Amino acid sequence: MESDKEFPTELQSITFQILSSNDTAHMEAIFYNLFSPEPKPKPHSEALAFLQCSKKHHPDLLFIKLFFLLRCGATPLTRANSARALHLLSQPDIWPKLKPIAQASLKAHFTAYLKEETSLHVLRLVAPVLAETLSIIYKDHQQQWPELLDLLVSFTASNDDKSRETALLVFANLRKDCRLRVSDALRGAVPVLRTSFMESLGSSNADIQVAAFGTVVSLVRLFSDPCVFHELLRAMMVAAFALLHGSDGSYFRRAFAEMVRLVMEEPAPLKPYASDMVLDVLQIVESDAGLSIETQQAAFELVMAMTEVEDYATVLKSHNHQTLVRVFMIPMKMLMFVEDEDDKKEKDGCGVYKVGLKWLNRLCVTVGGDIVVNIGCHILNIFLDSPYWKKRHAGIALLTVLSKDFSDEMVMRENFLMEVVAKFFKSFQDCHDRVRLAAFSFMQMPTNFVQAMHVLYHHRLMHAFAAALDTTHNYKVKEQTASAMLFFLKTTLPDSLTLYKNADVITNKFLSILKGKEGAKLRSIALVTLNIIAQQCHELAHKYCASYLPILLEECQDNNSEIKEEATRGIRICAELGTPHLKPLVNRILSYLSSVLIKEPNHSISENAKVYDIAVSVLGRICEFHRDTIDGSKIVPAWLSCLPLKNDLIEAKLMHEQLCLMVKRLDKDLSGAGNQNLLKVLVVFLEVIDNGDKLGSPQTITQMNNLLRQLGRNIPRTAINTVLFSLNDRQRELLLPFLAS
């Protein structure tokens, strides 16, 4: 609770009056406004401000008042709210500020109160507060509270369940940074505590059993004798199995959460027993007792906690192959909590699936290397061949996890590729959409394993992708199929298409997608794919241009910016191929380009900024490869006026390289009558150079530097001042060294 802010003098006075008064009505009203199930914003904030102001300006009075209400409140509700208020306050901030006399008074109140309180509900709220206070006192070497410790020890041995549970909860809630000092103060009571803890773990009262778990974890350093520790640990496991069959499993989950805490916080004494604990967990999770998934997860959390502590990694690896397969099967079964896409229950199972995937990742990293690949191969053979689609889907998820970190081991393992790929290829034609989605998503992973599949099975992959495009009627599956093929074309060998004898079939399939208007995302993928095909396979490119050019022009009118970008890029590719099919459409293309360039005066901040740059690139390629179909004296200067490009860096580098080539060959349309366009060329060069290799390749930058030196030597001295006057300060700064040379 923050209390650093300043409070009005009036509020300070009011808090003093209420805290000094014997009337409890004001405090009960404050409690109501703070802890009401449906608090009203203004009264709640006012009550909170009261506590904050009291904590800052009257800490002694506040604590004495709250402890008075805790001990003397007429109703359990008042006493419970007092405990809640004490818990809400940050005691590490406030206890050291109390005067010694106030601290002594509060200690006495607390000790007496514990003997008097009749409500177990209130005591359960008080226990964390008392544990916090005890922790603060023992954190300071100069303070102790032996009276309370003696009372708590006697409570743990009491036949009264209320007293025993209260003491156990106090010990269980001790702060980690003071447990050792409290343990040192309890050394003399070890025999009593050992006996009482054993009795509590075996109690017929489940609340006492759970509290005992937390107590053993907090005070574990009391039991340094290996025999005693072993005795307590086995008692905890026996108690856990007993709680496992409770009505709703909640007691078991709470108890096992304490076991997980023990694993995380005290690995050294537990390490000799870690292997047996893994087997115990497997026995719980694999039992046929009809356990809920929440209970199974709570148990397996203990194994997962071991994956986060380095001391346990070797223990996990030391298990034999069969045991490790059993361990991995737990998260694999959780991956089966996936439903049909339209099933409303999917959200319920989604959390289990995500946890299973997270655990599978951690297990793989912990076990690692060849061991995990051997386990993976064993499980994949079971899951990928299963008649149940959820198992096949889980198998692909495992393959995805393995591929991220262990691609090299998977590729190098004898027969792994052959065994797994043969089964995996069936997933492309699976009867369930979710399995096919997972398979095609996997094929887009940037891993060495997927790359090896691309290289070794490129013919089969192309055929599988093509067949899948034909057979699927699910839009998402079709989109992922197309996306997987696009990823394949981007990452595989450049000549893979030429090796695939029916590559033109692929082209036709994507052209049909464009004609069918099957969705913006799918059409965008189709355009990108066709553009790559055209660049990789010139033989197909001319057929492509003949068949999209009219389609490309139509797609350029789409409202989706990605579709417009790729359609325009497709026209640029057709233009630079020099295809004769472009000639009859030049006027339509120029009309489209003109509309783009006129519509986007503020193109750098437009959502169509890349479309603008690609349109300029199309214009440049027409100038370069189809000059005979246009009036170069008008179109080339128009193209130059749009440079430099800064939004689509691919097109920018292409066009700036082309500009260099045109300047180098003294293109007359570029320079214009009387070299009137020379200044614009200089400005473009200077801007490109000023941006380093962002807007031009290293070769282009070098060429521009050389050309500027030549121009610097050839510009008449009478024109230099005119040129410099037309440039801005930064451009003049860049140009002067070239003029000097």
Side-chain angles (χ1 to χ4, degrees), residues 304-339:
M304 297 315 302
M306 291 182 178
T307 66
E308 296 188 11
V309 181
E310 190 175 348
D311 288 359
Y312 298 121
T314 54
V315 175
L316 279 173
K317 290 181 183 180
S318 68
H319 284 285
N320 60 36
H321 177 78
Q322 288 78 11
T323 301
L324 285 173
V325 168
R326 290 170 63 196
V327 170
F328 273 76
M329 279 294 190
I330 306 306
M332 287 301 296
K333 289 175 182 176
M334 294 170 68
L335 294 184
M336 293 172 64
F337 277 76
V338 58
E339 304 295 337

Side-chain angles (χ1 to χ4, degrees), residues 49 153 197 206 378 449 473 601 697:
V153 170
F197 290 175
H378 179 98
F449 183 77
H473 300 289
S697 67

Side-chain angles (χ1 to χ4, degrees), residues 150-166:
D150 290 343
L151 180 64
L152 293 176
V153 170
S154 69
F155 274 11
T156 63
S158 170
N159 291 324
D160 177 52
D161 282 358
K162 174 173 62 66
S163 298
R164 176 173 284 194
E165 184 182 341
T166 301

Side-chain angles (χ1 to χ4, degrees), residues 91-109:
Q91 294 195 66
D93 294 338
I94 200 166
W95 181 268
K97 297 178 183 177
L98 300 179
K99 297 173 184 175
I101 190 171
Q103 291 179 345
S105 174
L106 291 173
K107 285 181 179 180
H109 271 299

Side-chain angles (χ1 to χ4, degrees), residues 53 58 111 114 183 219 225 247 284 294 348 369 388 399 599:
C53 181
H58 313 294
T111 306
L114 288 177
S183 296
L219 301 179
D225 184 330
S247 57
I284 292 171
E294 293 82 8
D348 298 330
Y388 303 105
L399 192 61
K599 278 182 185 176

Side-chain angles (χ1 to χ4, degrees), residues 597 603 608-618 642 644-649 651-652 655:
L597 302 181
H603 57 88
N608 292 319
K610 285 193 173 184
V611 176
Y612 179 94
D613 280 15
I614 303 168
V616 174
S617 191
V618 174
C642 298
L645 304 182
K646 296 181 179 179
N647 298 301
D648 190 307
L649 301 185
E651 304 300 336
M655 289 301 98

